[in-house]
Amino acid sequence: MQLHHIPLDHLKVSPLNMRHSRKKPDVSDILPSIRQRGIIQPLLVKPNGAPDHYDIYAGRRRFFAMKVIAKEAGSNPVLPCLVLDRNKDVDAIEASIIENAARVAPDEMEQYEAFKKLADKGRSVAEIAETFGVTELTVKRRLALANLLPAIRKLYANEEIDSRTVTALTLATEAQQEEWLALFQSEDDHAPRGQYLKAWLCGGEHITTDKAIFDIEGYSGAVLADLFGEHGVFSDADLFWSHQNAAIASLRDAYTGKGWSDCEVLDRGSYFARWDHVKATKKEGGKVFIEVRDNGEVTVHEGYITETEHRRRGNLAADKNGKTEPATKPELTNPAQNYIELHRHAAVRAALLSAPAVALRLTVAHMIGGSTLWQTRPDPQTTRKEETAESIATSEAQATFDTEKAKILKLIGLPEHGHSVTRSNGDDWRVGELFVKLSALTDKEVMRVLTFVMAETLQAGTCIVDRIGCDLAVDMTASYTLDDAFFDLLRSKAAVNAMVAEIGGKRVADGNVSATTKVQKGIIRDFLTGENGRKGQENWLPGYFRFPLTSYTAGGAGLLTENAQKAK
C-alpha cells in the first residue's frame, strides 16, 4: 500500500464497505478531535475506475466528519489515504470488516453481509472464523441467513422482527417463508414468531433430536439442522412419534420382563403426580410409570404405587385364620405427619453438623445417586469428530480412568453395566442403599470413591480444568502422545511455524517459513520420531497440552486461552 493525499471530492464510500448501506453515521464524538488535529489515521481506499477517484473501504466515519468540516469552511480538504491494489477486493473487504468491528460491534445482519462477501470471494468458513476471532459455528449461523428471502432479511435489518424469529426462519423452505411472509403482511392473519414459529414450521410442537429414545441412525425422516440450537429438529412430528412410541413400548416390555408388577405408560402430556404415590420396591409390588411429554421427552419413575393402593394394602390385615379385617384409622393426619417430618429433619440436620464422617459418605451417595435437590452427571466427552473420539478412547489417560472405574464399581457394589459410576436418578431409596455401602468402607476408601466421582463429573472445556492442571502440575507427556488426529485439526500456518521453531529451532522454522502447513507438520513429526536427519524430541508437546497453557499467535487458542486466563 502507498500513502496518498486525496481531495475529499475524489472519495466515496465503497459498496463493499461493511456499513455502506447504513444511514449516515453519528460523528459528533470524533468531530472535535478532527477539527483540532485533522485526520491522523489514514483512510483505506482503492481506485474505483474513474481517473484519480477512489472508493473508501475503511474510514467511513472520518470521511463523513471531514464532509461536515468542509461544508462549514467551504473548502475541499485533502485526506491521507492508504491505497490498496485495485485487484485485491477480498483484502479490502477484510480490512473494512476489521476496521468497523473494532469500533462499533456489528449486528447479525451486518456480519452476514460482510461474511457473505468474503465467502463469495472464496474464503472458507474456517478462514473467516480465524480472521475475525469467532467460532466456525458463528460464521455458519450468519451465512445461514442467506437462506432467507430478501424481504425477510430487510424486515430483520429494520428491526421489525426479532432474532429468535429470523433464526427460526432459517429452517424454513422458500415456500414456507413465502407463506409466513404473507401472514406477516396480512391485516387479518397473525404470523407466528419465536418458539411458536418452530412449532408452526414443524406442524406442531417442535421436537429436538435429544428427546429421541430410539436410534436416530435408523430414522427414515428428515431432521432439520438447527445451527442456532444444540440439537436438530424433527420435521415430521407424526413420523417421530411412530418411532418414539415403538421405543417406549419396548422400554415398557423390558421393565415387565425384569419382574416389575406393572409398567404403565401415561397418556402423552400427562404429568406423573409423585405426591400422589408412595415408594415401593419391586418385591413390595412397586410399579414403573413412564411419563411422556408433548415435546417428546420421556421420564421413567421406578418403584411406586398409588396412595389409594397403599391405603388399600394397609387396610388388609390378615388374621391367623386367613381372614381379613380393616386396619385401624391412621393416628396422624397429613399436616401432622408434615409437622413431625420437618422437626425430625431439623434435628438430624443439626446433628449432622458434628458428624463429618457421616456427611462425607452422605455427600458421595448423593453425588452418585442424586436426589430432587442434587443433580449430577458425568461429562459426556462429546465431539463431532470420529477421529477425536477414537483418540480419546485409545489414550493412556482414558485407559487409566476406565481401570479405576471398574475397581470403584466393585468397591461400592454397583453393576458394571453403563458408562459411568455417577447414575443420578433422584431416587432417595438408591441414595440410602449407597450410604449403607459407603458406611462400611474406611475413610480412605470413601475418599477414593469421592475422588473418582469428582473426576468423572469434572466438566471439559472450562477454566476449572486449567486451574486443577496447574495446581497438580500435570505433565501430559506421561500419558499423551501426539497423533494424526491432532495434526489433521491444525489450521493456523503461523502457529505451526512457531511449533517448528520451538521443537527444531528458529533457523529451521525460518528456513521453511514459506513451506505449506502440511510440509511443516511433517517436519514436526520428523523431530518427534528422529527421522530424516532430525534430532529426536519424543517428549515434546505443543503449548496447548501444557499447564499453564501457552499459545502461538496473537489471536491465542480461543476458549483454551480464555479459560487459562480465568484459571489464573
Side-chain angles (χ1 to χ4, degrees), residues 84-118:
L84 285 164
D85 188 299
R86 72 169 62 246
N87 296 318
K88 293 187 177 179
D89 274 356
V90 69
D91 291 340
I93 297 170
E94 278 191 355
S96 171
I97 300 172
I98 294 171
E99 166 82 7
N100 284 284
R103 283 158 175 73
V104 182
D107 60 27
E108 292 102 321
M109 194 57 68
E110 289 175 331
Q111 282 187 325
Y112 153 71
E113 292 168 353
F115 291 171
K116 187 174 185 302
K117 290 173 184 176
L118 291 177

Side-chain angles (χ1 to χ4, degrees), residues 141-158:
R141 285 175 172 174
R142 298 299 174 262
L143 293 178
L145 298 178
N147 295 332
L148 297 174
L149 296 174
I152 293 177
R153 290 202 297 267
K154 185 176 181 181
L155 289 175
Y156 182 54
N158 294 336

Side-chain angles (χ1 to χ4, degrees), residues 461-471 544 546-549 559-568:
T462 64
C463 64
I464 301 301
V465 174
D466 292 271
R467 179 68 272 167
I468 300 303
C470 291
D471 286 356
Y544 310 135
R546 302 174 199 156
F547 295 93
L549 176 143
L559 285 176
L560 285 174
T561 302
E562 183 179 329
N563 286 335
Q565 291 172 345
K566 288 180 180 178
K568 294 180 181 179

Side-chain angles (χ1 to χ4, degrees), residues 498-509 523-524 527 534-535 537 540:
M499 291 181 201
V500 173
E502 191 174 74
I503 193 172
K506 189 175 186 301
R507 184 181 62 81
V508 177
I523 293 172
I524 295 175
F527 274 108
R534 306 291 187 185
K535 184 178 180 181
Q537 301 283 348
W540 176 86

Side-chain angles (χ1 to χ4, degrees), residues 20-265:
H20 173 266
S21 61
R22 311 297 283 182
K23 63 183 180 180
K24 286 185 179 181
D26 178 12
V27 296
S28 58
D29 57 331
I30 61 174
L31 263 176
S33 172
I34 293 179
R35 280 197 181 101
Q36 182 177 1
R37 300 183 179 87
I39 292 181
I40 299 174
Q41 183 179 357
L43 285 67
L44 203 60
V45 302
K46 197 174 71 134
N48 63 12
D52 298 324
H53 282 67
Y54 301 84
D55 284 349
I56 299 171
Y57 286 81
R60 178 172 175 266
R61 296 179 73 236
R62 280 165 276 161
F63 170 70
F64 276 98
M66 284 304 299
K67 290 187 71 172
V68 172
I69 295 171
K71 185 176 180 180
E72 292 173 349
S75 61
N76 183 32
V78 294
L79 280 61
C81 300
L82 289 171
V83 181
L84 285 164
D85 188 299
R86 72 169 62 246
N87 296 318
K88 293 187 177 179
D89 274 356
V90 69
D91 291 340
I93 297 170
E94 278 191 355
S96 171
I97 300 172
I98 294 171
E99 166 82 7
N100 284 284
R103 283 158 175 73
V104 182
D107 60 27
E108 292 102 321
M109 194 57 68
E110 289 175 331
Q111 282 187 325
Y112 153 71
E113 292 168 353
F115 291 171
K116 187 174 185 302
K117 290 173 184 176
L118 291 177
D120 290 343
K121 292 293 182 180
R123 286 285 197 266
S124 68
V125 169
E127 289 171 333
I128 296 173
E130 183 178 352
T131 298
F132 301 105
V134 297
T135 64
E136 291 186 24
L137 180 59
T138 297
V139 177
K140 290 178 181 178
R141 285 175 172 174
R142 298 299 174 262
L143 293 178
L145 298 178
N147 295 332
L148 297 174
L149 296 174
I152 293 177
R153 290 202 297 267
K154 185 176 181 181
L155 289 175
Y156 182 54
N158 294 336
E159 299 181 354
E160 295 182 57
I161 54 177
D162 59 21
S163 59
R164 293 184 67 185
T165 298
V166 82
T167 54
L169 283 169
T170 62
L171 299 174
T173 64
E174 185 173 331
Q176 286 176 316
Q177 291 183 46
E178 290 174 348
E179 183 180 353
W180 181 89
L181 195 58
L183 291 174
F184 181 85
Q185 295 170 342
S186 171
E187 295 182 359
D188 302 321
D189 297 317
H190 172 73
R193 304 194 185 197
Q195 61 179 347
Y196 303 106
L197 177 53
K198 274 191 178 180
W200 181 79
L201 291 171
C202 298
E205 177 79 17
H206 74 276
I207 302 172
T208 52
T209 51
D210 62 310
K211 303 302 189 301
I213 62 171
F214 56 85
D215 184 7
I216 298 180
E217 295 295 328
Y219 180 69
S220 58
V223 175
L224 303 177
D226 185 357
L227 293 173
F228 298 87
E230 292 184 17
H231 308 283
V233 179
F234 291 101
S235 63
D236 187 337
D238 291 336
L239 183 59
F240 162 81
W241 279 114
S242 68
H243 283 72
Q244 189 80 330
N245 285 331
I248 292 172
S250 297
L251 184 63
R252 176 202 59 198
D253 296 340
Y255 272 107
T256 55
K258 291 177 182 177
W260 288 93
S261 63
D262 191 16
C263 180
E264 179 181 342
V265 179

Side-chain angles (χ1 to χ4, degrees), residues 271-427:
Y271 284 74
F272 175 71
R274 187 166 181 171
W275 59 87
D276 199 28
H277 291 75
V278 177
K279 289 291 293 182
T281 64
K282 187 187 298 183
K283 291 181 179 179
E284 294 171 340
K287 301 178 181 180
V288 178
F289 295 85
I290 299 179
E291 180 182 12
V292 184
R293 299 289 178 87
D294 287 325
N295 68 351
E297 185 176 357
V298 175
T299 306
V300 178
H301 303 275
E302 290 183 11
Y304 287 91
I305 56 175
T306 64
E307 185 73 36
T308 302
E309 176 69 8
H310 177 66
R311 287 197 301 270
R312 188 187 69 79
R313 293 182 183 184
N315 289 332
L316 297 176
D319 61 12
K320 293 181 180 179
N321 298 322
K323 298 180 181 180
T324 61
E325 59 183 26
T328 56
K329 183 179 179 179
E331 57 189 277
L332 293 173
T333 63
N334 284 338
Q337 289 184 49
N338 176 249
Y339 175 90
I340 294 170
E341 286 173 350
L342 290 177
H343 274 289
R344 287 164 62 85
H345 173 262
V348 171
R349 189 161 61 174
L352 190 60
L353 298 178
S354 58
V358 174
L360 170 64
R361 287 156 175 80
L362 193 57
T363 297
V364 178
H366 276 78
M367 290 174 70
I368 297 174
S371 75
T372 56
L373 302 179
W374 280 66
Q375 293 294 322
T376 51
R377 59 182 184 271
D379 184 88
Q381 294 186 299
T382 54
T383 176
R384 292 178 296 173
K385 292 281 189 180
E386 292 184 7
E387 297 83 358
T388 299
E390 182 179 357
S391 179
I392 294 297
T394 57
S395 68
E396 187 175 337
Q398 187 63 39
T400 300
F401 192 83
D402 291 340
T403 300
E404 178 67 359
K405 177 175 67 177
K407 294 178 181 178
I408 293 297
L409 288 170
K410 184 176 181 180
L411 184 64
I412 59 179
L414 286 180
E416 293 187 10
H417 64 77
H419 68 283
S420 63
V421 170
T422 308
R423 302 174 185 184
S424 178
N425 61 5
D427 188 338

